[in-house]
Amino acid sequence: MRMVFLGPPGAGKGTQAVMFSEGMRFLHLSTGDILRANVKRGTEIGQKARSFMEQGLLVPDSIVIEMMLDKIKTSEAGKGFILDGFPRTVYQARRMDEELKGLDLTIELVVYFKTSIDIIIYRLTGRRICRDCGANYHIVNMSPKKEGICDKCGGELYQRKDDNEEAIKKRLEVFNGQTKELIDYYKKQGILEEVSGDLDAGKVYEAISGILNDRDKNRT
Ligand code: AMP
């Protein structure tokens, strides 16, 4: 299965992508994670992307598209993948569709995480991430046992530079202005399904599992 998880920042796409990629052994391709790893390693991509990311702006297509298409074309991606944070514009989606067409493949399912603004701000401002294993926490409703320390690996927790109010505002503007039109783009292809990103992770997982089960039934 080749899926796209679409939604505003803080909708829970990453959390669900981890849950489903582990359960179904799909490749989880998070554009943000790949870019952040490049920033951390100080690669050329990372150096070019850094300031855009910190301001909550989209990293230019000339950097992001090739980077993601290369990942999608790997043999590891052959058994299926979940794209989390890509595409973020109709142009990116078109480029990916063309590339997949050349391989005789398509995106099969797009899950749109419809999420309210208050929930997004609450989640993002309280989010903390482990520097070592990437596990996510929330200072109020998913706090670690020991403040600032990851329960899973003992790594240090940090707050993303773009999880401050100003950058969050910008990221939401970018979502509304450039990414939201993907809802129509995929609706027209008949592959869009909607879930509520306001629900807790277990409930969203159930909703997506239901969509996948229905698709399996309809195929047989
Ligand atoms: P995320 O981790 O998905 O919230 O992404 C963090 C940041 O990475 C975004 O605010 C953008 O600066 C950049 N980014 C992630 N995905 C894309 C994309 N598909 N196109 C351009 N920039 C992106």
Side-chain angles (χ1 to χ4, degrees):
M1 176 72 88
R2 288 171 297 280
M3 290 193 268
V4 169
F5 284 180
L6 174 68
K13 306 182 296 293
T15 303
Q16 295 300 322
V18 168
M19 290 163 88
F20 278 95
S21 58
E22 281 171 359
M24 301 170 92
R25 295 201 209 94
F26 286 166
L27 192 60
H28 169 201
L29 291 171
S30 157
T31 318
D33 284 352
I34 298 168
L35 289 169
R36 277 184 291 279
N38 274 279
V39 170
K40 198 172 167 187
R41 293 203 309 273
T43 66
E44 203 184 326
I45 288 183
Q47 284 171 26
K48 286 183 184 157
R50 184 184 199 131
S51 73
F52 294 99
M53 296 173 77
E54 286 177 1
Q55 291 173 73
L57 299 170
L58 290 186
V59 173
D61 284 341
S62 56
I63 299 171
V64 168
I65 294 179
E66 287 312 312
M67 183 185 90
M68 291 308 286
L69 295 185
D70 282 351
K71 301 269 178 200
I72 288 169
K73 286 188 284 186
T74 60
S75 60
E76 227 193 321
K79 58 182 185 262
F81 53 74
I82 300 173
L83 297 178
D84 157 18
F86 186 87
R88 258 173 153 101
T89 61
V90 169
Y91 179 71
Q92 292 181 359
R94 289 216 172 97
R95 286 288 314 276
M96 175 168 69
D97 281 356
E98 279 162 24
E99 196 76 21
L100 287 174
K101 203 170 168 196
L103 302 168
D104 227 0
L105 299 172
T106 54
I107 294 294
E108 293 156 281
L109 174 66
V110 178
V111 180
Y112 169 50
F113 292 60
K114 189 173 183 198
T115 313
S116 8
I117 183 112
D118 298 356
I119 300 241
I120 291 172
I121 290 170
Y122 170 76
R123 281 187 189 151
L124 292 182
T125 50
R127 176 160 72 176
R128 298 293 182 272
I129 300 165
C130 174
R131 260 189 216 292
D132 296 335
C133 73
N136 271 241
Y137 294 87
H138 187 279
I139 50 171
V140 179
N141 67 10
M142 229 196 344
S143 58
K145 291 195 188 96
K146 199 169 163 204
E147 200 187 322
I149 304 291
C150 177
D151 292 347
K152 291 184 185 151
C153 76
E156 183 200 357
L157 303 186
Y158 77 104
Q159 182 172 27
R160 268 171 54 170
K161 278 209 172 125
D162 58 353
D163 276 349
N164 63 72
E165 276 198 41
E166 201 184 328
I168 293 170
K169 210 172 131 223
K170 194 83 225 152
R171 287 155 72 199
L172 286 170
E173 271 170 37
V174 168
F175 178 77
N176 288 321
Q178 291 173 269
T179 308
K180 228 176 169 179
E181 30 185 77
L182 282 170
I183 298 171
D184 269 348
Y185 179 82
Y186 286 122
K187 226 181 228 171
K188 280 187 194 137
Q189 294 187 14
I191 55 171
L192 189 96
E193 297 279 355
E194 187 176 301
V195 295
S196 168
D198 289 356
L199 302 174
D200 67 43
K203 291 256 159 44
V204 179
Y205 186 83
E206 274 172 31
I208 300 174
S209 298
I211 293 169
L212 292 171
N213 286 339
D214 286 349
R215 296 213 152 209
D216 272 351
K217 268 188 228 146
N218 290 338
R219 266 190 197 159
T220 49

